[in-house]
Structure formats: C-alpha cells, structure tokens
Amino acid sequence: MKVPFYCMRPRVLSGVQPSGNLHIGNYLGALKNWARIQYDYESFFCIVDLHAITVYQDPGELRAKIRETAGVFIAAGIDPKHSAVFVQSSVPGHVELSWMLTCVTPVGWLERMTQYKDKAAKQESVGDGLLQYPVLMAADILLYQAALVPVGEDQAQHLELTRDIAQRFNSLYGETFVMPATGLPAVGARVMGLDDPTRKMSKSETGAGHAVALLDPPAVIRKKIMRATTDSNPAVNVANAGPGVLNLLGIHQAFTGWGDEAMKAHFEGMRYGDLKKEVAEAVATGLEPLQRRYREITSEPGYLDGILRESAERANAVANTTVRTVKERMGLYAAP
Ligand code: AQP
C-alpha cells in the first residue's frame, strides 16, 4: 500500500517479553538480527511488559527483568543513539490502539492461534489477556507503521494475524496501516530446547538444562550443552541427523556464520562429545562480548533509565500520531 504521509522512512519494530532469562533462541531468532538491520530503518525495539502479564508475574521480579532485558538489548548491539529502546507500558498508545483493533477482530481469529491454544491447555482458568495477546501485538506493530518485524518462526502466525487485522481495518475505515512484512533470520529462526529438541527453546520452560541464558557464565554454558539430548548414534551423520544433533549444528552455524559445506566437512563423522565441546565453545565465545558490555552498561548509574526515558519520548511521538489518525478514521473524538 501507499505509505502514509506521516511515515516517509521505513520503520522496524520488534519486542521481547521481560518474562524470564533471555536465551540463545531470543538472541539468534531476534536480537542478533535486529542489531544487523537497525541502521537500514527507523528502529523501535520494545520490552513488551504488557504481554508478560498475560500470565502472572511476580511484581518485583518483573520490574528487575524489564531493566535486565533493556540492558541485554543494548549489550546485544542495539545502538540507543540510533534505535529507540523502550518499555511498552511507557507508551499508552499500545493499549489505546489495542482496544480499537479488538473491536474489528473476530474472536474466532484469536481462538485459532497456536500459541493461545498451547498456553490455554496448560492452565485451569484462561485469562482474557491470553486470548487478546495477538491483538496487542498487532497494535505494537501497527502503532509504528512498521514495514518489517524481525521475529523468530514462532511469531509468524501472529504476524499473519496482524496483516489480517490491518487489512480489515483498512477496508472498513480507509487505507490507514502499512502492511508489515515478517523478517525471519536465515539460521536460528527456531532454536529448540536442549533437553527436548522437539520443543522450542522458551523462557517459560524452567528445566535447568532447557535453555542457555544469554548471561550464563561460560562454565554453565558448557555444562548445559554437554548434557544436551542427542540420539543413540555415536557420531554425526548430517544427512540422517536427529533433532537434537540438528539443533546443536544449527546453534553452531548461527554463532559462527559457517556455510553448509564448511559445517558438513568439519562435523561429519565427529563423535557427539566432541561436537558438544565445539558448540559450547562457539556459544561461550560468541556471548563473551555481549556479557562484557552488559556488565559495563549496568555498572553505569542512570545510563539505562536515561535511554528508556528518551526512547519512550521518541516512541510516544510516533504512537500519538497513529492513535490520532485511527481515532479520526473511526469517528472517535480527537481534540483539535
Ligand atoms: N526458540 C526460539 N528460537 C528462535 N527465536 C525465538 N524467539 C523466542 N524463542 C525462540 C523469538 O524471540 C523473540 C521474543 O520472544 P518472546 O519474548 O515471546 O520469547 P519466548 O522465549 O518465546 O518467551 P516465553 O515467555 O517463553 O513465551 P512462550 O512460552 O510463549 O514461548 C520473538 O521474536 C521470538 O520469535
């Protein structure tokens, strides 16, 4: 569609829930990609705390995780001089637009979402927030008229829904929203759990050997990877590798950037113990600069709060423009 007059530069928007320890899935599926593309866009990266509370969070822990997540964004290479790094709840437009979009979204669309069905199945009583989660996500994206949303594969269905909601709004009220494209990374789009390679690595899985956290010390990283589930074969056979071995190879490739041929030539026939040692080394080495930068950032008093405050101002300026347009289109009162 034609880009509205108030959005002359393409924008990118993405977010992470501050709902636990960020892991190498979040890094390879999202953060690493964000850092790579940020300068090609006007960039907005959001700590989506309103999404996190769709399941209960201890308030003190949530507050601490919001700051930690912001620190990890910057440590992972997001440049706050260029990109806005802000907290979702500090921009009221997310909630305002979410309600307006809720009113054009059929409930059947939401009930079909795989993530909703998976999470609802694990709970006795399902909160409305869990069902509405993808509408809030659509609002996060459409609020900034984002042209691109770089995410891991698990979010692709929510992105499709975002486009459906935008299209429905545009057809009811006239061209308003830019259609956002889904930006999946070439490798690392779906990192699987180390303990169970049939399930995606996830913050909400609490098993000690499930995920490598981005702030895990090298010794912990090595221990977790050495215990990763593989299969009963003794050595790597790339053509017939099981999900655990494929996951380890994928993690190595995403951290080192090696091509398929180099991976095969190096790992074919290697015993699993040696494969794990090499993967652990690649991950520990790959995370070392992030961890060093994180320690620097968090030891500087006021640094993070300053960035979050300044970025929220930038985000609010864009968000308020969109909310105003949407209100006008829908016939709501928008003070002159
Ligand atoms: N395993 C993964 N592989 C690749 N990308 C992933 N992402 C998440 N897990 C993987 C991407 O990271 C970004 C932030 O997602 P999130 O905050 O929803 O993270 P999560 O780890 O999935 O969080 P939870 O709390 O554990 O949620 P559930 O239980 O729903 O999985 C997104 O771009 C996501 O694609």
Side-chain angles (χ1 to χ4, degrees):
M1 72 164 278
K2 192 159 65 67
V3 176
F5 70 94
Y6 52 83
C7 177
M8 301 309 283
R9 272 181 77 193
R11 295 201 182 112
V12 70
L13 175 288
S14 200
V16 171
Q17 300 180 66
S19 52
N21 296 325
L22 268 68
H23 50 70
I24 55 172
N26 300 129
Y27 178 66
L28 299 176
L31 295 175
K32 190 166 175 255
N33 207 10
W34 302 357
R36 188 176 57 81
I37 63 170
Q38 63 184 323
Y39 298 109
D40 298 335
Y41 295 86
E42 186 183 354
S43 301
F44 294 86
F45 299 115
C46 186
I47 296 121
V48 289
D49 53 348
L50 296 169
H51 283 280
I53 58 167
T54 52
V55 291
Y56 176 79
Q57 304 290 334
D58 174 84
E61 275 174 31
L62 179 60
R63 208 165 290 125
K65 285 292 170 196
I66 289 170
R67 292 178 62 80
E68 184 179 300
T69 306
V72 169
F73 279 18
I74 296 163
I78 305 304
D79 172 3
K81 289 200 184 76
H82 174 80
S83 306
V85 173
F86 65 101
V87 181
Q88 185 186 28
S89 64
S90 60
V91 181
H94 289 257
V95 175
E96 280 186 273
L97 183 60
S98 179
W99 175 251
M100 296 183 255
L101 297 179
T102 294
C103 295
V104 302
T105 306
V107 73
W109 290 6
L110 303 177
E111 285 168 340
R112 278 201 291 277
M113 292 295 107
T114 313
Q115 199 179 74
Y116 167 73
K117 288 196 277 190
D118 288 350
K119 286 196 172 181
K122 289 185 201 155
Q123 297 181 22
E124 260 178 43
S125 154
V126 180
D128 186 33
L130 209 53
L131 183 68
Q132 298 299 330
Y133 179 112
V135 185
L136 179 58
M137 181 165 158
D140 299 339
I141 296 163
L142 301 176
L143 195 55
Y144 299 91
Q145 302 285 3
L148 182 75
V149 185
V151 284
E153 209 176 83
D154 59 316
Q155 294 299 331
Q157 193 188 33
H158 288 161
L159 256 297
E160 269 170 43
L161 181 82
T162 298
R163 287 187 287 272
D164 288 343
I165 293 174
Q167 249 151 18
R168 194 174 163 91
F169 188 97
N170 285 353
S171 69
L172 285 169
Y173 295 106
E175 292 290 292
T176 304
F177 294 120
V178 172
M179 276 317 131
T182 309
L184 296 178
V187 279
R190 192 171 184 84
V191 177
M192 309 308 281
L194 296 176
D195 54 348
D196 178 358
T198 63
R199 296 159 64 87
K200 99 169 167 105
M201 190 175 281
S202 157
K203 286 189 240 90
S204 53
E205 295 280 340
T206 49
H210 173 74
V212 173
L214 296 180
L215 300 177
D216 274 346
V220 175
I221 295 174
R222 288 190 190 100
K223 195 166 154 190
K224 286 179 175 175
I225 292 178
M226 292 311 290
R227 288 189 181 159
T229 301
T230 47
D231 50 49
S232 53
N233 297 327
V236 178
N237 173 346
V238 173
N240 293 307
V245 172
L246 283 178
N247 193 35
L248 290 173
L249 290 171
I251 291 170
H252 186 283
Q253 186 169 26
F255 269 98
T256 58
W258 291 7
D260 293 344
E261 287 309 312
M263 288 293 295
K264 189 167 184 328
H266 186 77
F267 286 110
E268 188 68 23
M270 187 182 279
R271 298 189 73 78
Y272 287 165
D274 293 328
L275 163 72
K276 287 178 177 179
K277 275 189 204 146
E278 295 217 15
V279 176
E281 239 12 81
V283 175
T285 310
L287 291 181
E288 196 272 331
L290 182 155
Q291 298 187 348
R292 190 171 6 98
R293 180 88 182 102
Y294 180 81
R295 286 192 293 272
E296 286 165 8
I297 289 166
T298 48
S299 62
E300 212 178 303
Y303 175 75
L304 267 182
D305 288 312
I307 285 168
L308 292 176
R309 200 170 36 245
E310 215 178 278
S311 294
E313 277 171 30
R314 281 156 71 183
N316 268 303
V318 177
N320 291 342
T321 308
T322 307
V323 167
R324 190 179 176 85
T325 304
V326 173
K327 279 174 138 181
E328 281 169 2
R329 297 273 153 93
M330 294 184 95
L332 296 170
Y333 179 69

